[in-house]
Structures are given as structure tokens and as C-alpha cells.
Amino acid sequence: MPGIDKLPIEETLEDSPQTRSLLGVFEEDATAISNYVNQLFQAMHRIYDAQRFPLGGDDEVMTSTLQQFAKVIDELSSCHAVLSTQLADAMMFPITQFKERDLKEILTLKEVFQIASNDHDAAITRYGRLSKRRENEKIKAEVMEDVYTSRKKQHQTMMHYFCALNTLQYKKKIAMLEPLLGYMQAQISFFKMGSENLTEQLEEFLTNIGTSVQNVRREMDCEVENMQQTIEDLEVASDPLYLPDPDTTKFPVHRNLTRKAGYLNTRNKTGLVSSSWERQFYFTQGGNLMSQARGDVAGGLVMDIDNCSVMAVDCEDRRYCFQITSFDGKKSSILQAESKKDYEEWICTINNISKQIYLSENPEEIAARVNQSALEAVTPSPSFQQRHESMRPAVQSRPLAARTSSTGSLGSESAGLSTLSLDSLVAPETPIQFDIISPVSEDFPGQTKSSGQSGRRTNPFGELGGSKSETEDSILHQLFIVRFLGSMEVKSDESPDVVYETMRQILAARAIHNVFRMTESHLLVTCDCLKLIDPQTQVTRLRFPLPNVVLYATHQENKRLFGFVLRTSGGRVESRQTSICYIFESNNEGEKICDSVGLAKQIAFHAELDRKASEKQKEIDRVKEKQQKELNKQKQIEKDLEEQSRLIAASSRSNQNSGEGQFVVLSSSQSEDSDLGEDGKKKRESEA
């Protein structure tokens, strides 16, 4: 006999749309069998009723009329009586049993399964509405017990329903063959009684049919026994899985997956502030996230998750929520997993797919190798206090012209880059900081704290409430949405490889230590500084002076990642300069941000050159003004000397004419010369 299709009992607990679709095919087949059996039963019942031969011995008219045929009629009547008995036993009894017992059992199990499935959906919906903040242990225990009971009932009912449908695939062959076989055997026996000319080929054919029926029956009994054993084994193995949130110590999280499927709750907005949650079956297909509602033939595309970003979020006081954002930032979905295990596996799987690991030949091996390499290469700080104590540099200004030519999103590499090792870029055991320290409570590298600065509400366009902002006069104001990934101290700031290596270590550390939460901020780029602003409160979280930003770059492949190196002085050794690399994720705007920073540095550099040129011109003007004053003074002295000489000459002529005893009238300048004495005269002569 050819192979018989069966429902997979092992997939009853998953209860995926594909399993439901396959179940629908078997249910349609069972309905078709039921309709066919009803028609066959009616046809065979007519055959059975037709065997009640009308020519009996009770008919006096026929007996008197056909007296000569009485003996033949009696023999014919006895033959039909035997045929009727054989048809009742071999034809009507099997099909009646199949119709009244087996088909009714299928209908009953279908109703029971539908009720169990509805109860399970209702329990899951109630479990999904459990409050995260106002947790009531009594209500939680009742809800979890309800989920456990309904899931166990649905699983057991579904397994028995599948078993009955699989058995029906065998019984339908028996139900169609046994009545026909009984009918043929009864007819042969009937004709044998009237004729002995039946061929042996027909008997051999009927014998083969009978042998086949027996083989199918034996195979069915063996398969039923195997399915019952499978049901018992699955009930024992699946008992811990009936709980909605199983223990992760017994069921470890698989972080190397590149394919994942399961039910998730998706958030749909129904108004400006209202939303609803819908439970759907989600699965990954290559670089796409698909969803399929129960009853749909195929799944639909939700979004392209190549180069996407995934992060844990808090949404409507629900647990295990995460958000997926497309590579261009135009589409996002908020989903809720049923358990912590599913929650972490979905985030890890989407992260692996986002890196396009699924395109390789052995994606799971490559994902495991990448995670293992990251684990060996990165040692994040076990204590936030260690990170805080090891990095306390103060801000020191740096000349604007420094490293202007070497900064850029993807600048040219110097000749010595090939000789740089990873240890020369980042220290092997450098602590990593995954969150932003508030400037109100902590001293952060690159953050200049002044009186009244911390906690001020800042407008992203450079305006402060009631006071003039330091960036109000800046001609460049560009705002970007970024998410802080982490920062760490680096040993070099000479090449973009420092930024690339820092990105690798921070992303690897996040994946290894399950750090999925990211702080979203607004990055304001001006000609004076870079600012991280809280998007909700408009409070400045961090401020990075632009002259201290000595290097910036975007990732070579993932353009959403970018970082910059901030050079400061201070720390534990006051005279030592430290360089700290900050890594961010944007909505596919990494190159734009780097270009904006480069433009800001160029504007600041040219502004500094203009300022210096203006100061130099002012100095030249002051020198010229001083020289002009000296020249005017010299001219006045020369004029006074000429006047004095003229008066002296006039006095000499008048003395000669008037004789001795006459007085000489001196000018004011002569008086002054006489008062100054000999030293004053020499000084005046030297100035002339």
C-alpha cells in the first residue's frame, strides 16, 4: 500500500498556523468521507432491501399459477434469503459501524478541541493583560494556573484529535473496501448456489482484496499503538512547557538562531492615545519578518529586518516588550513575547538576521563563532563604580586647527595604520559604560559643569528660557535622533580604526550580557559643541566641546552606527590626557551626522581664523593710530621751535637797536625750555 499522510502529533503544542492549515485539510477530508459514506450507505441499503424476493410461498396466486415452478421458486427464495443475510453481515454492518461510531467520534472530538482552543485563547489574553507594575501574586497565580490548565487541555485534546484523524485515514480505506468486499462475496456465494461457472480469477482477486484489508488493519493497529505511546511521552515531556513563562535554567536561551517562529502580541494603534493588542503567529523568512493570522493560508510581510535595530521597550505596563525599527527608521513595530526565553531569543535572532549572517552556508555556526569571539575579546566592567572611578577627566580646550584635516566620516588612512594592533587601540580590559550618567549627579568625561547649567531646560534650536544660550550665535544648528550604545577609554585617536574596534567591542558586549536597552536622545550639532538632549524634558544630558572632538567616523558597512573620540585632560593623573570613544546608533544617518560635525569644525576653524585676523587688524590700527599721534606731536614741536627761533631772531634785532637794559620777551616754549634745563633741551633736540 502507498504511504499515508499523517498529522504531526509532535507539533500540537506549538499550534502554529501551518499546523492549523494542515488540520483543516484533514477535517475537509473527514467531511468528504462522511458525505461519501452517507451516499454509499443509502445505495447499499437499497441493494439490501432489493434482496427481499417478492416470489415467496405465501403468495397463493403465484403458487397456484406457477405450480410447476414451485420447486424452482423455493430454491430461488432460499438463495435470496441467504444473500440477504450475507449482505446484512458483510456489507451493512461494517459501514453502519463506521458511520455511527467513527465519524461521530471525529465530530465530537472536533467540538471538544474547538472549546479547548477557545478557552486557551481566552486564558492567554488574560495572561497578556497582567500588570507589570501592580503585580498581584494571587491574581497572577490564578491566571497562570488557568493558562496551565487550558494549555494542557488543548494539547491533550489536540493530540487525541490528531490521532483520530490519522486513524481515519486508515479506516476510510477499510470502510470503503469492506462493504464492497462483503457485497461481492455475498453475490458470488449467491451465484455459486445457482451456477458453478464462476471463474477462479474473480476469486483470486477477491482473495487479494481481503488480504490487503487485513494488512491495512494490522498496520492501523500498529500505528495506533505508536501514536498512543507518542502521546504519553509528549505529555510527560511537555508538562513544564504548559506554564507561560518556563524556567530559563531548565530551558536555556538559544542566542545563535537565525530563524524563529512563534506567537507574539502586536500593538495596533486605534486612535491618538488608544491601542489594541492582537495575538498573531510570527516567523522569519530570510531577511523578512512575516506574520500569519489563524485561518490564513499564507503569511504576510511585516517588515524587512536587514540592517534593522531591535531594542527592549516599556509599553503600557506590559512585560517582555521589544521594538523593531527598519533600517530607514520609517517603520517600527512593538511586539510582546510570552516568556522571557522567547523575548531574549527573538531579540538575539533579529540581531543575527540584521547582521545578514543568514546568508552564509552555516549561519548558526557563524553566529556562535561571532559570539564566542566577542566573548573572548571583550571583558565589560563588572561594576559601574569601577567605570566611574577610572574615568574622571576634566575638560581642557584644544586648538581648533588641531586634527582638522584628519577628521571625517571615512577619512584617508595614514601610512602607519597597517602596523596598529588591537591592543594599541583599546586596552584589553577597559571597562565599558552602557548608559549615560546624569550631569547633575556624576562627573562625566567631556562634560563641563558650571553653576546653573545642570538640569536647565534647553531648546534644541539654541534658546534657553529667560537667558541667552551659548549656542544662540552659532550659524549651524542640526538635530538628529540617536541612541547611546556605550563608551570606553581608548589608547589612540590617530585613525578611524579606533572607532571601528570600539564599535565591535561594545556591540559584542551588549550581545553577550543581554544589554538590549538603549537611551534615545537628540544630538544637537553646533559650531561650539555637541549636545545630548533629553527628548521628553529638553534637559541637556551631556555637552561635548567641539575642539575636544578629535576624531569621528561611521561604520564601514552599517551606516546607522557612528562614533567620535573626545580628548580630555585630567583623571587620576592630572597631567595625563585621556581619549574616550562614544558610540551611537542613528536612523541610518551616521554619515550625515559625521558630515555635520565636519562642517561644524570647518565653520569653527574659519571663525577662529577670522577672529584672529580681526584681532591682528585691530592691533595694526592701534599701532597706526599711535604712530599718527606721535607724528602730530612731532609736528607741533617743530612748529613751536620755528616760532621760538623767529622770536629769538626778532629779540636779537630789537636788543641791538635799543641797547642794554632792555628786557627780552620769551615765548611760552622758551619758558618751558628754560624750566627744563639742559637735560630738557637735549631731549627736545633728540626728538627733533
Side-chain angles (χ1 to χ4, degrees):
M1 296 292 290
I4 296 177
D5 296 329
K6 294 178 291 184
L7 284 168
I9 299 179
E10 296 79 5
E11 298 181 5
T12 53
L13 183 59
E14 183 181 2
D15 191 20
S16 65
Q18 289 83 359
T19 306
R20 287 295 184 103
S21 299
L22 187 60
L23 174 61
V25 174
F26 275 70
E27 288 178 343
E28 291 177 0
D29 183 64
T31 303
I33 293 173
S34 178
N35 296 334
Y36 174 79
V37 168
N38 288 331
Q39 297 175 5
L40 183 62
F41 176 81
Q42 295 174 3
M44 290 185 173
H45 202 278
R46 287 195 298 269
I47 295 174
Y48 173 72
D49 292 339
Q51 303 310 314
R52 299 176 182 177
F53 194 72
L55 297 178
D58 296 336
D59 193 345
E60 298 179 357
V61 177
M62 281 299 253
T63 302
S64 59
T65 306
L66 302 174
Q67 188 65 38
Q68 63 274 23
F69 301 111
K71 185 177 181 179
V72 177
I73 291 173
D74 290 339
E75 292 178 357
L76 189 58
S77 296
S78 62
C79 289
H80 278 282
V82 173
L83 176 61
S84 178
T85 303
Q86 291 180 346
L87 289 177
D89 295 337
M91 184 179 71
M92 297 303 299
F93 179 78
I95 196 170
T96 303
Q97 286 290 100
F98 179 73
K99 178 176 177 293
E100 298 296 330
R101 183 182 63 185
D102 298 328
L103 293 181
K104 285 187 176 180
E105 181 185 5
I106 293 293
L107 295 177
T108 303
L109 287 175
K110 181 179 180 180
E111 294 176 358
V112 173
F113 166 70
Q114 192 62 41
I115 294 173
S117 179
N118 294 337
D119 294 341
H120 175 255
D121 291 344
I124 286 295
T125 302
R126 185 182 176 191
Y127 172 76
R129 292 197 299 264
L130 279 176
S131 175
K132 180 181 177 181
R133 298 194 183 100
R134 300 185 302 276
E135 220 174 60
N136 190 323
E137 293 297 328
K138 182 178 180 181
I139 297 177
K140 181 180 177 182
E142 292 176 358
V143 172
M144 294 185 69
E145 181 65 22
D146 191 14
V147 173
Y148 173 86
T149 305
S150 61
R151 182 169 291 178
K152 183 175 182 180
K153 180 180 178 182
Q154 181 194 7
H155 187 209
Q156 293 175 346
T157 305
M158 199 174 200
M159 287 191 295
H160 287 288
Y161 187 31
F162 278 26
C163 178
L165 288 175
N166 290 340
T167 307
L168 183 64
Q169 302 303 311
Y170 294 93
K171 287 185 176 181
K172 70 179 182 180
K173 298 181 181 296
I174 300 173
M176 287 186 290
L177 293 178
E178 269 191 341
L180 296 177
L181 179 61
Y183 173 76
M184 294 301 297
Q185 288 177 344
Q187 292 294 341
I188 290 173
S189 177
F190 172 75
F191 288 114
K192 276 186 177 181
M193 289 187 293
S195 175
E196 297 179 358
N197 297 326
L198 295 176
T199 61
E200 296 181 358
Q201 294 180 355
L202 184 58
E203 293 181 358
E204 184 179 358
F205 171 74
L206 296 178
T207 301
N208 292 335
I209 294 297
T211 304
S212 298
V213 170
Q214 294 301 321
N215 291 336
V216 172
R217 185 179 294 278
R218 284 194 294 271
E219 186 179 352
M220 179 191 70
D221 294 338
C222 182
E223 184 64 26
V224 169
E225 183 179 354
N226 292 336
M227 287 189 294
Q228 292 295 337
Q229 184 62 38
T230 302
I231 290 175
E232 294 177 2
D233 296 341
L234 289 177
E235 285 182 350
V236 175
S238 303
D239 188 74
L241 298 177
Y242 294 143
L243 291 172
D245 195 0
D247 189 0
T248 55
T249 59
K250 298 180 180 178
F251 301 93
V253 178
H254 301 287
R255 308 187 185 280
N256 306 324
L257 299 177
T258 55
R259 291 185 297 174
K260 176 81 175 161
Y263 279 99
L264 295 172
N265 292 330
T266 177
R267 181 174 178 264
N268 300 319
K269 295 195 68 175
T270 57
L272 294 177
V273 294
S274 60
S275 61
S276 63
W277 294 81
E278 182 181 1
R279 189 168 183 258
Q280 289 189 358
F281 187 82
Y282 282 80
F283 60 95
T284 60
Q285 189 174 41
N288 297 325
L289 179 64
M290 314 287 287
S291 68
Q292 184 176 358
R294 187 176 294 178
D296 292 349
V297 178
L301 177 64
V302 178
M303 72 168 63
D304 181 7
I305 54 178
D306 276 342
N307 296 322
C308 74
S309 63
V310 58
M311 58 185 293
V313 294
D314 291 329
C315 186
E316 298 184 6
D317 196 22
R318 284 179 173 249
R319 299 182 298 173
Y320 310 135
C321 292
F322 58 96
Q323 179 176 350
I324 307 173
T325 306
S326 60
F327 69 96
D328 55 2
K330 295 181 179 179
K331 189 173 184 181
S332 63
S333 295
I334 297 179
L335 304 173
Q336 180 191 18
E338 184 178 298
S339 63
K340 183 178 181 181
K341 177 177 180 294
D342 284 345
Y343 162 77
E344 295 184 2
E345 285 185 352
W346 271 108
I347 292 179
C348 292
T349 302
I350 294 174
N351 271 327
N352 293 335
I353 294 176
S354 176
K355 300 173 186 176
Q356 298 183 347
I357 297 178
Y358 67 93
L359 297 176
S360 57
E361 294 182 358
N362 298 316
E364 292 191 4
E365 294 182 4
I366 293 178
R369 190 158 57 248
V370 169
N371 292 335
Q372 183 64 26
S373 300
L375 181 62
E376 295 174 356
V378 181
T379 307
S381 173
S383 172
F384 178 77
Q385 184 65 25
Q386 296 178 6
R387 171 67 174 167
H388 178 61
E389 292 296 332
S390 64
M391 300 175 65
R392 283 184 177 269
V395 176
Q396 180 183 16
S397 61
R398 179 180 174 85
L400 275 172
R403 302 203 187 283
T404 304
S405 61
S406 65
T407 56
S409 62
L410 286 173
S412 61
E413 298 181 356
S414 62
L417 291 183
S418 59
T419 61
L420 289 176
S421 63
L422 296 182
D423 290 343
S424 66
L425 300 177
V426 180
E429 295 188 0
T430 302
I432 299 175
Q433 179 174 310
F434 294 122
D435 203 356
I436 298 176
I437 307 175
S438 173
V440 177
S441 59
E442 302 288 348
D443 294 333
F444 197 85
Q447 174 70 19
T448 304
K449 293 181 62 176
S450 60
S451 60
Q453 175 187 351
S454 60
R456 291 190 299 175
R457 191 175 302 276
T458 305
N459 189 296
F461 296 99
E463 297 178 359
L464 290 177
S467 64
K468 185 175 180 181
S469 172
E470 61 181 355
T471 61
E472 184 176 355
D473 296 332
S474 177
I475 62 175
L476 178 66
H477 291 86
Q478 289 190 344
L479 195 69
F480 302 94
I481 298 176
V482 298
R483 290 172 288 277
F484 181 71
L485 295 177
S487 64
M488 60 188 300
E489 184 176 347
V490 295
K491 300 173 66 176
S492 172
D493 54 13
E494 299 294 333
S495 84
D497 289 345
V498 178
V499 180
Y500 303 152
E501 177 63 18
T502 306
M503 288 178 181
R504 187 189 71 80
Q505 293 204 21
I506 288 178
L507 292 177
R510 277 181 167 271
I512 292 171
H513 296 275
N514 300 328
V515 182
F516 301 121
R517 191 178 303 278
M518 295 182 287
T519 304
E520 185 170 284
S521 304
H522 288 169
L523 178 65
L524 179 63
V525 181
T526 67
C527 298
D528 301 321
C529 63
L530 307 180
K531 282 187 177 182
L532 283 181
I533 301 173
D534 191 316
Q536 301 295 330
T537 62
Q538 298 300 313
V539 172
T540 300
R541 291 173 172 169
L542 292 177
R543 180 184 179 275
F544 307 100
L546 193 62
N548 291 14
V549 179
V550 296
L551 180 66
Y552 49 92
T554 183
H555 196 275
Q556 293 170 314
E557 297 177 358
N558 189 353
K559 301 304 180 184
R560 295 182 293 106
L561 300 179
F562 76 96
F564 59 84
V565 178
L566 188 76
R567 179 178 293 181
T568 59
S569 63
R572 294 179 178 178
V573 182
E574 293 297 331
S575 61
R576 183 176 69 91
Q577 284 190 339
T578 58
S579 298
I580 304 168
C581 186
Y582 296 86
I583 304 301
F584 296 87
E585 180 188 49
S586 64
N587 296 332
N588 206 31
E589 295 180 339
E591 290 185 340
K592 293 182 181 179
I593 296 175
C594 289
D595 293 341
S596 178
V597 175
L599 179 61
K601 291 184 74 68
Q602 290 181 6
I603 294 174
F605 177 70
H606 290 296
E608 180 68 13
L609 293 180
D610 293 341
R611 185 185 65 81
K612 290 182 178 180
S614 177
E615 291 179 355
K616 186 176 181 180
Q617 184 63 36
K618 289 181 180 179
E619 184 67 24
I620 293 173
D621 293 341
R622 285 195 297 269
V623 171
K624 287 183 178 180
E625 184 180 357
K626 184 176 181 181
Q627 291 177 351
Q628 185 66 30
K629 289 182 179 180
E630 292 293 334
L631 183 60
N632 294 336
K633 185 177 181 181
Q634 184 65 29
K635 288 181 179 180
Q636 182 65 34
I637 293 174
E638 291 177 355
K639 184 178 179 181
D640 293 343
L641 289 176
E642 290 178 358
E643 181 67 22
Q644 182 181 4
S645 299
R646 187 180 61 78
L647 293 175
I648 291 174
S651 298
S652 299
R653 287 193 298 270
S654 63
N655 289 335
Q656 291 177 359
N657 295 328
S658 59
E660 295 180 357
Q662 300 294 327
F663 293 98
V664 179
V665 180
L666 298 178
S667 65
S668 60
S669 60
Q670 288 175 325
S671 313
E672 291 174 359
D673 289 340
S674 61
D675 294 337
L676 289 174
E678 189 67 25
D679 293 337
K681 292 180 179 181
K682 290 181 179 180
K683 183 177 180 181
R684 188 176 295 277
E685 290 177 358
S686 64
E687 290 178 355

